[in-house]
Structure formats: C-alpha cells, structure tokens
C-alpha cells in the first residue's frame, strides 16, 4: 500500500545520510546544514534510488561519514579520526568497488592538518598507514566472499570492466570523462540545482578552506572514475549526492553574501535570496514528488502478470520480446507457461530450439 511505499522510500540509510549531511553542514557554516538537507531531499536521483534498499544509498551514507571524519581529521589530526576515516573508507569499498578512490580524502585531510599545525611527518605517515590497514580490514570483514572465492571475485570484477575498451590512454585522451558529470547533472538534481552546484564549485575554489578542498576532491575523484567508466547509470552518482548538496548550499549562501554586499536595501537582498531559494527547491521538489507518485502506483507489468496468472490456462504458449524476458515482460511463472522468444527478437532464449 501507499504507507509501505513511503516507508520504502524513507529507509534508514537515506535518512541517515540526510541527517549526517545536516550535522556536517552545520559545522561548516551557519545554515549550511539545513540548506544542504533540503537540497538533498529534493534531488530526484536520491528519491529514485531510495525506493528500495540498495547499496547505492548505503554508499552515500558511508561516503558522507568518511567526509565527516576527514573534516575532523583536517582540524585535529588525532589518531582516532585516521582510524574512523579508514573504517568509513572500507565500508565505501565494500559497498561500491570504485569508491576506493575516496581514500584520497584521508591523505588530503592529513596534509591540510600538517600544513596548518606543522606536526611531524611521522605522525601523518603513521596515521595514513593505519587508515589503509583499517580500510582493508573492514572491507575483508564485510565482504568475506572476496577472500573465500578470490577467483570468482576476479571474474566478476573483470566482467564489469570489459566494456571499457580502447586502453587507458585512449580513454583519457578522448576527454569524455570530463563532461560525463555535467551531462548527467540535470537529470540527477534538475537544472536549477545544477546551476547552484556550479556556483558552489566556484565559491569553494574562491574560499579554499579545508572543507572546500575536501569537497572538491570528493567531486573530482568520483566524477573522474564514473566518467572514465562511461556508462550513464544514475545510480553510480548516488554516492556523490551528499557532496553536491553541500556544494549547492555553499553556492546559495555565497550568492546571498554577494547580494547583501551589492544591494543597499537589506529587505531587497533577502527577497531576492528567498526567490532564488524557491526557484531552486520547487522545481526539484516537484520532480521528486512526481517520481514518488510514480512509485506509489502499481506497476502495469505487475497488474498484467496477475491477470495472466488468473485468466490464461497452464501450458499456454506466450510470446516474449527478448531474453532475458523478465526485464520487459509481466512477471510470469516459467514452469507453468511455455515462453517463446519471438523471431524478431535480437536475443533468443537458450531454451528454444
């Protein structure tokens, strides 16, 4: 029913990521957390992939936890933040293999702390080595399959990389990986939010505080590896959405600060800021609600499958569009019906003569 659908969309990993974005954002500046929370909540990609419990939303939670640890590490440099950051990085890798690139946030945070405090390099190197060990240990504990069946793991991993052809240098030289995120961004967050994400990136480059460098690094390594992969699957960017929400919040707050300097009348600056906020949140919120309503409506495939099971006699031959038919056809019991792939299908069933 509708209640169960809403519960599915508001599952704990998504709520956890939202709350952590709010908590971390408030530590970055007054109002940043609340604004980032609102922006994250109206991003269509988050709604789409929060409909079911998936590793992508779990990755978003682990990634924002890693960022939070790195922010603390850049401020304090204490050993426990190296350890906690390593644990969060291990969870990221366990949930999404390519999320291993997020480990670079840890040495970046350590470098930012070292430049600020001037501590010994030995403490920094020791912390980095410890974070790597903790990351590997957490990955091994949460993903024992990779240790027990290393041959299967390598086969699965290679099957996921076969589409990346042409060699590494040719792929990098094509430069399509640079435009991958900009091309996907409107579909992920809508155009108004994409614009303020761009403003936020400019603001981060201008401010260059430790948290800004960490956000920029998060975007750079994530967008780089997904862009290099080249596939336009929105779920691959779910782990980046918390960073985009924080950056967009920075952009809106930066725009308000500029307005307050340029406009002499405070009420006019506040009115323009409020209008800009409404103009950003409302279209994204409307799109997200549309997706939510779509998921609240029964899938026509499900309804068709129920009708077939009730009205079509057992043993009947049913034409399928292609193999595997499950992705295009109503849910049917293959042991009850004879499923035959039609002649014009590009892929025949392996069970057809």
């Amino acid at each position: 029913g509708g209640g169960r659908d809403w519960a599915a969309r508001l599952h704990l990993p998504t709520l956890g990521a939202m709350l952590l974005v709010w908590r971390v954002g408030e530590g970055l500046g007054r109002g940043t957390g609340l604004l980032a929370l609102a922006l994250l909540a109206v991003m269509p990609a988050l709604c789409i992939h929060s409909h079911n419990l998936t590793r992508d939303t779990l990755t978003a939670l682990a990634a924002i936890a890693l960022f939070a640890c790195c922010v603390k590490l850049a401020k304090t440099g204490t050993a426990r933040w190296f350890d906690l950051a390593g644990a969060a990085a291990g969870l990221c890798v366990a949930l999404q293999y390519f999320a291993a690139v997020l480990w670079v946030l840890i040495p970046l945070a350590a470098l930012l702390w070292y430049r600020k405090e001037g501590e010994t390099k030995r403490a920094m190197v020791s912390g980095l080595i410890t974070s790597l060990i903790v990351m590997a240990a957490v990955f091994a504990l949460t993903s024992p399959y990779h240790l027990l069946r290393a041959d299967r793991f390598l086969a699965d991993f290679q099957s996921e990389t076969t589409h990346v052809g042409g060699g590494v240098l040719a792929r990098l030289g094509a430069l399509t990986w640079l435009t991958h995120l900009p091309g996907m961004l409107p579909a992920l967050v809508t155009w108004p939010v994409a614009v303020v994400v761009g403003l936020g990136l400019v603001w981060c480059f201008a401010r260059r505080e430790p948290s800004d460098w960490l956000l920029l690094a998060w975007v750079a390594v994530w967008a780089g590896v997904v862009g290099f992969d080249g596939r336009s699957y929105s779920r691959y960017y779910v782990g980046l959405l918390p960073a985009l929400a924080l950056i967009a919040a920075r952009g809106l707050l930066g725009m308000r600060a500029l307005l307050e300097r340029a406009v002499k009348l405070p009420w006019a600056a506040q009115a323009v800021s409020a209008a800009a906020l409404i103009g950003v949140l409302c279209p994204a919120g409307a799109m997200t609600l549309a997706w939510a309503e779509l998921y609240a409506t029964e899938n026509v495939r499900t309804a068709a499958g129920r009708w077939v099971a009730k009205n079509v006699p057992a043993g009947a031959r049913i034409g399928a569009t292609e193999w595997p038919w499950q992705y295009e056809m109503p849910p049917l019991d293959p042991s009850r019906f004879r499923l035959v792939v039609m002649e014009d299908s590009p892929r025949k069933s392996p069970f057809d003569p």
Side-chain angles (χ1 to χ4, degrees), residues 65-66 69-70 73 79-93 102-103 106 127-139:
L66 172 59
C69 293
C70 289
L73 176 58
R80 72 166 180 165
W81 292 116
F82 278 105
D83 299 340
L84 291 173
L91 287 174
C92 288
V93 181
L102 288 182
W103 180 83
I106 302 177
L128 292 176
I129 294 174
T130 302
S131 72
L132 277 173
I133 295 173
V134 173
M135 181 178 73
V138 170
F139 173 73

Side-chain angles (χ1 to χ4, degrees), residues 33-60:
L34 185 60
L35 194 52
L37 171 61
L39 287 162
L40 183 62
V42 299
M43 289 181 176
L46 186 68
C47 173
I48 292 170
H49 296 285
S50 295
H51 179 62
N52 295 309
L53 179 59
T54 65
R55 63 179 182 177
D56 305 298
T57 49
L58 287 166
T59 304

